[in-house]
Amino acid sequence: MMPRRLPLFLFVAALCIAPLVLRGYPLLMLNYVGLSVIVVLGLVLLTGVGGLTSFGQAAFVGMGAYAAAWLTTAMSWNPWLSLIAGLLLTTAAALLLGWVTLRMSGHYLPLSTLAWGIAIYLLFGNSQTLGGQTGITGIPPLSLFGWQLTESWQFHILIWGVVLSIVWTVHNMLDSREGRAMRALKGGVLMAEAMGVNTTRFKIILFVLAAQYACVAGWIYAYMQRFVNPTPFSLGQGIEYLFMGVVGGIGDLWGGVAGSFLYALPREWLHSHLSALLGRSGSFEGIVFGVLMIVILQRAPEGLWPHLRRLWPLREPAPVTASTAGATPLDVRPKPAKGDTILRLDAVTKRFGGLVANNAISFEVRAGEVLALIGPNGAGKSTLFNCISAVNPPSSGSIRFLGKPVEHCDSRRVARMGMSRTFQHVRLLPRMSVLDNVALGAHLRGRHSFVASAWRLDRAQELRIQATARDALERCGLCAKAHLPAGSLPLGSQRVVEIARALAADPSLLLLDEPAAGLRYLEKRELAKLLERLRDEGLAILLVEHDLDFVMELADRVVVMDFGEKLAEGMPQEIRRHPAVIEAYLGGVGDST
Ligand code: ADP
Ligand code: MG
């Protein structure tokens, strides 16, 4: 087993040696690969982390390059000022584009980046100010501390320095409170919102960051070439960047780095060898290359990086729970007194078209009690949960949480007020560790932004968040699994992880949708004990459950629903004897068993 950092060390060492052994064209090639890496790292963030696609990154590269070219030639600006101007311009454009498209779901972003890519390319080519198809020449050299950058080896240091800083800062950023929220964008939007994450904000942040990286690459490119023209910023190039990411493996930062190499080097090799073999072959190499890429994507849909990684087995990282041993969990909020009304529903009605899924449901939940909601499949229990947790607001009626009306709030707001929930269909991020999944529940309790975490200024707080998550896992008896990917746990345990995540939010009201489904007998006993402890601590628990023995033993009160109506409400013993309940629900279960 290799030490974990050895491959990184070897890679950096190779980069340091490169300008000493490489000269001329190969070193220049390496610089171009580095510039692509910068753009592709933005795509790893956008596509790999955020699940969003952009074909228009080349346009942002162009904006950086043209800002550099035009401002230093026509306006005689200092090159470094042109970087700031380029970044501001790119940020404004990305914010506008992101703000317009990212609030809509579906294919708006990829389509609008296509349009964006074409429009900017045409703008470069047709604007007389920007030199039309000829472009802009005579860009002054870049100087740093009075040192002029004109040689390839100097750019080598600059470019790969930028690459390594981006890798480092992005790595830190993803390993933080807001980073977890970003990682939840892919496939976990509804869940993340319920944990209080503003998912639109994070999508826009990722889009802007990716655009800024592209801009930096373009800016360096302009000073390396000392002239710019529209060709390298075409839509085709934008698609190639995306391709590099996909070939390398867009799910990982190093996949993005590898992708740029794996794309550029074979292409170069084919170019020189095929033209030597077949004389002046124009498009033949393109065809061979295309086929090669298709084969790669067919064989390695997640890119080549995961396969490359397996070639060098690394030592396991230290268990995360160990590092949090000395840390104090986050402060908890003051809780309502036992017996206070926490939640009050008045005539809550939810319609889906003609279907009335909840019809004028009213009940109360108090601090320090477990209220069970039972009823056959399709009775409307999950719908009611979604109304209460503001995932899907009621059509009419009022819901008061801690005395405040919440029927028109969004789920982030109720999460912030102290309501936390689990889902009937488990919503964990399967590749993220169990601990990170649970830490996502504590999202609203931290405050450092992604900028602070990029520079590791959030470590004290991050330790406390992790300690909180570890505590929640300990209470649920899952501490030993903290470092495993959540998706590798059996379904029953995944439900318990969801409870731990809800607990990490430090709620006053816990909504559990079928928490015991899929658990074995002993696990159910453990869960019941946990819920009893939480109740004794003064938490209000509203739970939907099918296992009647489980419900009857645990619940203080029971509400029975059928066909969207509330049939009965009372103590478990009363419910067992209630004629309507026996007929509609218990009787039905009895018949089928
Ligand atoms: P339960 O959780 O009690 O099994 P649900 O709340 O999931 O029941 O469903 C209640 C009824 O509402 C069912 O008839 C279901 O088909 C319907 N329903 C639930 N969600 C939607 C939706 N988003 N659109 C249309 N109908 C829905
Ligand atoms: Mg349900």
Side-chain angles (χ1 to χ4, degrees):
M1 292 275 170
M2 266 196 256
R4 286 188 68 72
R5 296 202 184 275
L6 185 62
L8 173 65
F9 176 78
L10 292 177
F11 178 64
V12 174
L15 286 178
C16 294
I17 297 169
L20 304 176
V21 294
L22 297 179
R23 292 264 178 281
Y25 187 66
L27 191 59
L28 189 66
M29 263 290 291
L30 193 57
N31 285 344
Y32 283 122
V33 170
L35 287 177
S36 302
V37 171
I38 297 176
V39 184
V40 176
L41 285 176
L43 282 174
V44 169
L45 267 185
L46 188 67
T47 312
V49 176
L52 305 162
T53 311
S54 167
F55 297 105
Q57 294 311 98
F60 291 118
V61 180
M63 286 177 85
Y66 269 90
W70 189 71
L71 289 172
T72 50
T73 53
M75 311 297 284
S76 313
W77 279 32
N78 177 301
W80 292 94
L81 273 183
S82 76
L83 173 63
I84 296 173
L87 281 173
L88 287 177
L89 187 69
T90 321
T91 305
L95 273 178
L96 187 70
L97 207 63
W99 187 71
V100 172
T101 57
L102 284 171
R103 289 176 310 156
M104 300 182 269
S105 53
H107 302 301
Y108 288 101
L109 184 73
L111 287 181
S112 62
T113 56
L114 273 178
W116 168 253
I118 295 169
I120 292 293
Y121 175 70
L122 289 179
L123 177 78
F124 292 149
N126 290 316
S127 156
Q128 284 319 308
T129 326
L130 299 179
Q133 289 298 334
T134 334
I136 300 176
T137 52
I139 302 174
L142 188 61
S143 53
L144 188 59
F145 308 120
W147 210 44
Q148 281 200 347
L149 302 193
T150 46
E151 306 286 332
S152 284
W153 64 268
Q154 295 170 315
F155 278 98
H156 174 84
I157 296 172
L158 176 67
I159 291 170
W160 288 98
V162 169
V163 168
L164 292 176
S165 341
I166 291 180
V167 169
W168 189 69
T169 48
V170 170
H171 177 85
N172 292 338
M173 183 176 85
L174 290 178
D175 178 31
S176 75
R177 179 180 87 95
E178 295 211 309
R180 275 185 293 271
M182 293 173 182
R183 286 187 278 158
L185 292 179
K186 206 168 170 180
V189 168
L190 185 97
M191 175 276 292
E193 288 274 332
M195 298 301 134
V197 174
N198 183 344
T199 51
T200 310
R201 170 173 175 264
F202 284 108
K203 284 183 191 169
I204 294 182
I205 288 173
L206 291 182
F207 189 58
V208 169
L209 281 176
Q212 288 176 340
Y213 295 162
C215 167
V216 169
W219 178 82
I220 299 176
Y221 173 86
Y223 294 102
M224 202 164 100
Q225 295 280 92
R226 308 282 292 279
F227 79 91
V228 295
N229 70 0
T231 322
F233 314 122
S234 65
L235 184 64
Q237 185 61 39
I239 293 171
E240 279 189 42
Y241 286 130
L242 192 58
F243 222 66
M244 290 179 206
V246 173
V247 164
I250 207 130
D252 191 293
L253 286 172
W254 293 109
V257 176
S260 308
F261 278 98
L262 291 169
Y263 191 85
L265 299 183
R267 180 154 214 169
E268 206 44 44
W269 188 86
L270 279 178
H271 181 73
S272 50
H273 285 73
L274 280 186
S275 39
L277 209 65
L278 304 165
R280 282 158 38 84
S281 70
S283 53
F284 193 66
E285 70 195 56
I287 296 170
V288 174
F289 188 70
V291 170
L292 190 66
M293 290 293 129
I294 290 171
V295 171
I296 289 177
L297 289 183
Q298 180 84 35
R299 285 299 167 107
E302 305 216 344
L304 292 171
W305 180 249
H307 298 269
L308 288 175
R309 266 212 77 146
R310 260 177 246 135
L311 297 180
W312 60 86
L314 294 181
R315 243 180 244 151
E316 289 292 315
V320 266
T321 38
S323 60
T324 62
T328 358
L330 298 162
D331 304 325
V332 296
R333 69 176 104 213
K335 298 290 185 316
K338 268 188 199 177
D340 283 4
T341 300
I342 300 283
L343 180 75
R344 183 194 191 112
L345 272 65
D346 258 314
V348 170
T349 299
K350 178 73 187 177
R351 291 188 200 86
F352 294 112
L355 177 87
V356 185
N358 293 147
N359 190 11
I361 307 284
S362 308
F363 59 79
E364 279 184 16
V365 188
R366 301 184 200 105
E369 77 165 347
V370 176
L371 179 70
L373 193 59
I374 64 171
N377 268 330
K381 307 176 298 291
S382 294
T383 305
L384 194 62
F385 260 45
N386 286 341
C387 289
I388 298 171
S389 59
V391 165
N392 205 346
S395 316
S396 67
S398 93
I399 302 174
R400 295 180 83 83
F401 176 50
L402 298 171
K404 299 195 182 72
V406 294
E407 63 271 10
H408 300 301
C409 290
D410 57 28
S411 54
R412 293 203 302 273
R413 174 101 187 93
V414 293
R416 190 175 285 283
M417 288 168 71
M419 191 191 298
S420 200
R421 68 168 292 176
T422 65
F423 295 89
Q424 179 179 352
H425 303 287
V426 172
R427 290 176 192 264
L428 294 174
L429 299 167
R431 289 165 176 228
M432 211 151 102
S433 74
V434 166
L435 189 85
D436 272 344
N437 266 286
V438 174
L440 192 59
H443 180 79
L444 286 172
R445 298 169 71 188
R447 51 182 184 83
H448 283 307
S449 81
F450 69 99
V451 183
S453 42
W455 302 97
R456 292 181 82 77
L457 303 174
D458 65 336
R459 288 298 107 179
Q461 178 194 279
E462 176 60 18
L463 264 185
R464 293 191 71 187
I465 292 180
Q466 289 190 2
T468 306
R470 184 209 54 209
D471 255 26
L473 276 172
E474 231 158 44
R475 296 174 94 177
C476 299
L478 274 175
C479 215
K481 308 272 170 68
H483 58 284
L484 296 177
S488 71
L489 266 52
L491 194 63
S493 309
Q494 294 193 19
R495 287 188 188 284
V496 182
V497 175
E498 285 221 331
I499 299 177
R501 181 178 65 198
L503 286 181
D506 183 29
S508 312
L509 171 66
L510 197 55
L511 304 180
L512 306 176
D513 201 346
E514 306 203 11
L519 291 190
R520 282 170 294 199
Y521 178 73
L522 285 178
E523 294 170 326
K524 281 188 189 177
R525 301 275 339 136
E526 286 300 313
L527 177 63
K529 273 193 224 148
L530 168 68
L531 297 183
E532 275 162 13
R533 275 203 307 278
L534 294 172
R535 165 179 64 190
D536 295 341
E537 287 167 22
L539 210 69
I541 301 175
L542 175 61
L543 105 160
V544 167
E545 188 46 62
H546 274 299
D547 181 337
L548 281 188
D549 292 330
F550 182 85
V551 166
M552 294 299 177
E553 232 170 81
L554 179 70
D556 299 289
R557 288 185 306 129
V558 179
V559 168
V560 187
M561 286 178 70
D562 197 8
F563 295 112
E565 309 271 348
K566 183 168 111 176
L567 278 192
E569 173 176 352
M571 316 279 273
Q573 312 86 300
E574 297 166 359
I575 293 299
R576 273 195 198 276
R577 292 195 298 265
H578 201 292
V581 175
I582 292 172
E583 190 183 338
Y585 185 63
L586 301 179
V589 171
D591 288 347
S592 65
T593 50

